[in-house]
Amino acid sequence: MHSPSSPLTEWTGPHGLPDYEAIGDADFEAVIKASFDAHLAEIDGIAANPDAPTFENTIEALEKAGEALSRVSAIFFNLAGSHSNDTIRAVERTVSPLYARHRTAVSSNRKLFARIDGLWQKRDELGLTVEQMRVLERSWKGFVRSGAALEGDAQKRFGEISERLATLGTQFSQNVLKDESDWLLLLDGADDLAGLPAWLVDALASVAEERGHPGRHAVSLSRSIADPFLTFSSRRDLREKVYTAWQARGQNGGDSDNTAVIAETLKLRQEKATLLGYNSFSDYALDDTMAKTAENVGALLDTVWEKALVRAEQETADIAALIAAEGHNHPPAKWDWRYYAEKIRKQRFDFSDEDIKPYMQLDKIIEAAFAVATRLFGLTFTEIEGVALHHPDARLWAVKDADGTHRALFVGDYFARPSKRSGAWMSGLQSQARLTGETPIILNTMNFAKPPEGKPAFLSFDDARTLFHEFGHALHGMLSDVTYPSVSGTSVSRDFVELPSQLYEHWLTVPEVLNTYAVHAETGEPMPQALIDKVLAAQTFNAGFDTVEYTASALVDMAYHASGQVPAEPLAHEAEVLADIRIPDAIGMRHRSPHFQHIFSGEGYASGYYSYMWSEVMDADAFAAFEETGDPFNPEIAAKLRTHVLASGGTVDPEDAYTAFRGRLPTPDAMLKGRGLV
């Protein structure tokens, strides 16, 4: 069967991009279904090949198959996350279980798996390269983990579970988006704006106008709006409303409530793991990671948790003392923390986020992220204007290597909008692979507050760190230098994939970078050295809060998945876990279960939210490699980083990749020191 002919599968736009002006939302469903059929025809052809299986006629053929499906899927899922609407959401609900059914159809092809299994059993006789051996291993394991080795009713049930989990993941994310996009707090007059800096007042005006209330101010549940409101608003009653709504996403009753979705998801995940012979879903999920076991994950999280609790108790006492000093008679509540922590930071370090913001212009921080990549890897970035992308706010850059050859296209989509899910992420329209001749098309998607027309966008320091983080992921995709698509770029284990992103954050605080790019929006003057010194000195301020927020979420994730037992009432179980670990009353989870999209909008980070901290152990140690030379841009270390971590993708085991870069594996010491916990 021929691949479907459509602008969704044949990209005729400028620079090898899709022609977005020729794409209609109503076109997706039919093209996706036709692409399934075309891919299955290719799969059947590979499986029925009368020649004896070889790496070339089986594994390489699989690597080349499904181009049309890859292309339409890349466009569709980018839109579903970054610019959704009723049509896109309806299509997503329809096709999500069909994707699972399609994967099951491929993995349950007995003739195909027999060819792959035959190659795997005699792998040492095939004369494969290191990369080819890795591709064969991942292909074989991927089929086994997808139920290929199951028989009869077990394989049928596995397919049913996969379809239902896909439906539940889509439902979960759409429910969260609905709660976020439906909620709005309209503010009335100067009293409701008390304590807010001018840039935030402007942002709240933009929110109100975008949501149909011109001339007013409004708070939305975009993190880039809610978080600074909780930080600066002196209206405790309004802070409580915003925080309560933020924490209640996905748990508001009615059609968008995720309580039942979570319960069914956990039950089906455990059943899936049991079918494959694992004791728990964590055993299944961690089997192909650096951590390997739930015990290893627990050892890291428990070590950090106890140190974070000590620090958080000190911070709680400081906040309680300030509340009392202001004449109030209440203990610190969750909606008080950011507000009073900001006051304490201003007292202790003599600066506030408001002092920093005029120096943190979005365009300059983008320039900074690019400039660091130029210094480290020789990349150059040229903006291309006038090209239609998936949304008018999105921007396009051509990326070249030091020798002037084309390396990648980079798309940045930076502003929050009701049609975009919360958070920040890297994705790709196209991955690098020499086998197919494709070069990367990489996207970074953020949710920064959009300024009024004609005014610059300002970032908090945390926002700037997020931009650097996601650009680190982007570099992992853009610098990929592999032969086979399945091991390209970020196709690595979850607890290794965060290394490039978290490592890149370190360059934001290199003094040379701040001196050059943190310049005042009105005067053009660089951030004063005294302020830079204060910012750097305050990097570990509030570390107890930050670490408790994150680690509590990671511990709840593991509690759901590691025991082999499914909690009858997951949200009650969440509360029990938080009580058992003694989370302070004034600190909540970074992501409560009803909106914990990392682990419930698909299986991406299920039993894997710990990965950020696992990677942090490596990123702290990896940046120390630069610091030990006295040069944060040391060309020899940068070349090793590019070769062994960023360019190698999934062609080698992560432990081997890190050891090749650093000469050894890391210990948690640098991470704990970096967080200010030792």
Side-chain angles (χ1 to χ4, degrees), residues 37 100 190 265 278 403 409 430 481 500 547 550 554 556 577 635:
D37 293 339
T265 297
Y278 295 94
D403 62 3
L409 291 175
Q430 185 169 278
D481 187 16
T547 309
Y550 162 79
V556 167
V577 172

Side-chain angles (χ1 to χ4, degrees), residues 126-176:
L126 301 177
L128 302 179
T129 66
V130 171
E131 180 176 348
Q132 287 174 330
M133 184 66 83
R134 185 76 171 163
V135 170
L136 174 58
E137 177 188 8
R138 293 182 67 161
S139 180
W140 182 82
K141 284 185 175 179
F143 269 74
V144 172
R145 288 170 63 83
S146 298
L150 298 176
E151 302 281 351
D153 290 344
Q155 190 174 74
K156 180 184 177 185
R157 178 58 183 156
F158 188 92
E160 292 169 350
I161 290 171
S162 298
E163 282 189 42
R164 182 59 182 158
L165 284 172
T167 297
L168 291 169
T170 297
Q171 184 180 347
F172 187 95
S173 60
Q174 290 194 357
N175 286 346
V176 176

Side-chain angles (χ1 to χ4, degrees), residues 331-401:
K334 294 178 177 69
W335 47 88
D336 294 322
W337 191 287
R338 290 169 175 80
Y339 177 70
Y340 284 100
E342 179 64 15
K343 286 190 169 191
I344 292 170
R345 181 172 67 174
K346 189 170 179 62
Q347 292 173 359
R348 193 169 296 172
F349 298 99
D350 193 29
F351 80 93
S352 72
D353 209 36
E354 191 175 357
D355 297 322
I356 299 170
K357 205 108 179 187
Y359 296 95
M360 289 282 155
Q361 301 171 71
L362 171 61
D363 283 350
K364 299 301 290 185
I365 300 303
I366 294 171
E367 281 186 46
F370 291 171
V372 170
T374 302
R375 289 284 300 276
L376 290 171
F377 310 118
L379 301 179
T380 57
F381 301 81
T382 303
E383 186 161 11
I384 303 171
E385 298 181 342
V387 175
L389 298 170
H390 63 276
H391 189 276
D393 285 347
R395 299 165 66 181
L396 175 68
W397 286 268
V399 186
K400 291 184 178 180
D401 264 320

Side-chain angles (χ1 to χ4, degrees), residues 292-572:
K292 306 298 185 200
T293 69
E295 289 74 22
N296 290 338
V297 173
L300 174 62
L301 294 179
D302 290 346
T303 297
V304 173
W305 179 256
E306 293 304 321
K307 294 180 181 297
L309 271 187
V310 173
R311 181 69 178 268
E313 287 167 0
Q314 297 168 348
E315 294 168 359
T316 304
D318 291 342
I319 287 175
L322 180 56
I323 290 173
E326 290 188 350
H328 303 301
N329 185 27
H330 61 79
K334 294 178 177 69
W335 47 88
D336 294 322
W337 191 287
R338 290 169 175 80
Y339 177 70
Y340 284 100
E342 179 64 15
K343 286 190 169 191
I344 292 170
R345 181 172 67 174
K346 189 170 179 62
Q347 292 173 359
R348 193 169 296 172
F349 298 99
D350 193 29
F351 80 93
S352 72
D353 209 36
E354 191 175 357
D355 297 322
I356 299 170
K357 205 108 179 187
Y359 296 95
M360 289 282 155
Q361 301 171 71
L362 171 61
D363 283 350
K364 299 301 290 185
I365 300 303
I366 294 171
E367 281 186 46
F370 291 171
V372 170
T374 302
R375 289 284 300 276
L376 290 171
F377 310 118
L379 301 179
T380 57
F381 301 81
T382 303
E383 186 161 11
I384 303 171
E385 298 181 342
V387 175
L389 298 170
H390 63 276
H391 189 276
D393 285 347
R395 299 165 66 181
L396 175 68
W397 286 268
V399 186
K400 291 184 178 180
D401 264 320
D403 62 3
T405 57
H406 177 74
R407 163 55 54 183
L409 291 175
F410 174 69
V411 178
D413 181 1
Y414 295 104
F415 296 126
R417 51 182 172 266
S419 61
K420 184 190 286 188
R421 69 176 171 88
S422 60
W425 62 93
M426 168 267 192
S427 58
L429 287 179
Q430 185 169 278
S431 298
Q432 177 273 333
R434 286 190 291 273
L435 183 70
T436 59
E438 292 184 341
T439 55
I441 304 174
I442 303 299
L443 293 85
N444 271 175
T445 305
M446 316 284 175
N447 269 284
F448 302 141
K450 188 174 182 178
E453 189 71 30
K455 291 193 176 185
F458 294 109
L459 306 182
S460 68
F461 210 82
D462 282 345
D463 288 339
R465 186 179 286 111
T466 296
L467 188 148
F468 265 65
H469 177 102
E470 297 304 334
F471 193 69
H473 280 309
L475 287 171
H476 201 182
M478 290 190 284
L479 291 175
S480 175
D481 187 16
V482 303
T483 299
Y484 298 99
S486 66
V487 291
S488 180
T490 58
S491 299
V492 298
S493 66
R494 287 173 312 197
D495 47 12
F496 191 73
V497 77
E498 296 299 335
L499 168 60
S501 55
Q502 293 179 186
L503 173 58
Y504 209 69
E505 294 177 32
H506 289 269
W507 277 280
L508 173 63
T509 54
V510 168
E512 182 180 343
V513 174
L514 288 175
N515 282 325
T516 306
Y517 296 98
V519 297
H520 198 280
E522 294 180 2
T523 67
E525 293 294 314
M527 185 184 291
Q529 188 60 47
L531 182 54
I532 290 177
D533 292 342
K534 293 172 185 176
V535 169
L536 297 180
Q539 284 301 290
T540 60
F541 174 72
N542 215 29
F545 171 85
D546 290 337
T547 309
V548 163
E549 245 200 344
Y550 162 79
T551 311
S553 297
L555 288 167
V556 167
D557 173 29
M558 295 305 295
Y560 278 145
H561 294 112
S563 70
Q565 304 297 315
V566 180
E569 297 183 22
L571 299 187

